[in-house]
């Protein structure tokens, strides 16, 4: 089985209320968060997880964010340009994971069927999280459920935060790494003392369609991964490569 390395590229960062990624935990406390694209090295196919967003894409939706690096400058040390990317695995179609899709104009985008169908006409409660202009004309592979993309890299359907979120499981020299298919930080996976007393093994992101389904997805990822890579955790801002 091939072994891969993961290069997190933090495009921007910004403060959020800590309860944003840990539902009902310590509202009022601020934490730093980041928005990434993740390059997976180890295959002849150039694979990226998520298309990313820049600070302006957040600001227009009312979230304060500061740019760290552009996609072009983030990929350059790897000897790549956005046009070299063959596949973009899209965890879900919320704007912060798809806004820069136009940069990868030779790529095939892999999206879950449930996410794709929902995103055509989202409910008003979360319609501002979706923008059809980011995905209306994509070269898309719409898939349904768990699937191996190349040997050693698979997607896992992990719904709840959005209808068809998919996590990405990657074979590495240090075990299975999973990039979560839902917006999360390490706090999402770490119950507070009060939560643990209630028997919770994790919490869920504030934004979700169904709390129970989301919890089950979070728990499944927590149990099966050796290296947890939550989509918005600030721990990887200065991390060059995993493992
Ligand atoms: Zn997100």
């Amino acid at each position: 089985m091939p072994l891969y390395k993961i290069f997190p590229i933090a495009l921007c960062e910004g403060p959020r209320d800590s309860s944003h990624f840990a539902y009902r935990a310590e509202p009022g406390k601020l934490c730093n968060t980041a928005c990434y694209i993740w390059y997976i090295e180890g295959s002849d196919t150039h694979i990226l997880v998520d298309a990313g967003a820049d600070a302006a894409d957040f600001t227009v939706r009312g979230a304060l964010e500061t740019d760290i690096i552009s996609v072009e400058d983030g990929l350059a040390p790897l000897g790549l340009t956005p046009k070299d990317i063959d596949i973009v695995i899209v965890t879900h179609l919320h704007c912060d994971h798809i806004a820069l899709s136009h940069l990868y104009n030779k790529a095939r985008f892999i999206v879950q069927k449930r996410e794709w169908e929902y995103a055509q006409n989202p409910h008003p409660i979360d319609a501002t999280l979706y923008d059809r202009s980011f995905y209306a004309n994509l070269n898309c592979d719409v898939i349904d459920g768990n699937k191996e993309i190349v040997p050693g890299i698979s997607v896992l359907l992990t719904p709840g935060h959005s209808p068809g979120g998919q996590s990405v499981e990657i074979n590495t020299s240090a075990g299975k790494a999973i990039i979560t298919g839902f917006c999360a930080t390490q706090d999402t996976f770490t119950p507070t003392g009060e939560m643990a007393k209630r028997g919770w093994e994790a919490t869920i992101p504030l934004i979700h369609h169904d709390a129970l389904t989301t919890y089950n997805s979070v728990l499944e990822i927590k149990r099966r991964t050796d290296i947890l890579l939550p989509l918005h955790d600030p721990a990887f801002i200065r991390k060059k490569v995993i493992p």
Side-chain angles (χ1 to χ4, degrees):
M1 184 71 84
L3 299 174
Y4 296 94
K5 288 190 177 298
I6 302 153
F7 293 80
I9 300 169
L11 300 179
C12 51
E13 63 183 324
R16 295 286 181 285
D17 191 284
S18 64
S19 66
H20 198 84
F21 294 118
Y23 185 49
R24 295 168 64 184
E26 305 185 88
K29 193 180 105 183
L30 285 182
C31 61
N32 192 34
T33 65
C35 176
Y36 298 91
I37 53 175
W38 315 76
Y39 180 70
I40 306 176
E41 186 187 80
S43 156
D44 292 340
T45 310
H46 296 135
I47 301 175
L48 196 69
V49 177
D50 280 344
D54 56 25
D57 294 312
F58 282 89
T59 309
V60 78
R61 289 171 181 82
L64 184 65
E65 200 85 3
T66 309
D67 282 321
I68 297 173
I69 200 167
S70 67
V71 170
E72 290 85 347
D73 290 346
L75 287 173
L78 301 169
L80 296 167
T81 72
K83 290 181 178 51
D84 296 320
I85 300 300
D86 300 305
I87 292 177
V88 180
I89 301 173
V90 183
T91 56
H92 60 300
L93 286 167
H94 288 174
C95 293
D96 53 326
H97 303 275
I98 192 67
L100 299 177
S101 59
H102 60 278
L103 296 176
Y104 316 96
N105 53 7
K106 298 211 177 92
R108 208 155 44 86
F109 290 74
I110 298 178
V111 183
Q112 284 288 330
K113 181 169 184 273
R114 290 189 209 175
E115 187 72 12
W116 182 253
E117 289 176 352
Y118 181 79
Q120 305 313 312
N121 186 24
H123 188 280
I125 198 77
D126 63 1
T128 57
L129 300 172
Y130 291 89
D131 183 334
R132 287 203 66 212
S133 71
F134 295 147
Y135 48 82
N137 299 310
L138 285 188
N139 174 17
C140 245
D141 257 8
V142 178
I143 62 170
D144 193 7
N146 297 358
K147 186 175 180 185
E148 186 178 74
I149 305 302
V150 295
I153 302 177
S154 297
V155 295
L156 311 165
L157 179 63
T158 46
H161 169 62
S162 68
Q166 58 184 350
S167 299
V168 186
E169 189 171 67
I170 302 149
N171 203 36
T172 78
S173 60
K176 296 274 183 207
I178 298 186
I179 300 170
T180 66
F182 41 85
C183 298
T185 63
Q186 184 63 48
D187 288 350
T188 316
F189 294 85
T190 314
T192 61
E194 276 305 308
M195 290 173 176
K197 274 190 221 161
R198 289 183 218 137
W200 297 13
E201 294 178 54
T203 175
I204 60 173
L206 178 71
I207 293 171
H208 55 263
H209 273 228
D210 175 308
L212 279 61
T213 305
T214 310
Y215 180 81
N216 291 340
S217 289
V218 172
L219 217 56
E220 188 195 344
I221 295 308
K222 182 173 178 171
R223 285 174 178 163
R224 69 186 287 156
T225 191
D226 300 306
I227 304 172
L228 181 61
L229 304 174
L231 286 184
H232 292 286
D233 199 285
F236 315 111
I237 292 176
R238 270 162 280 280
K239 185 98 181 155
K240 290 267 183 288
V241 60
I242 301 160

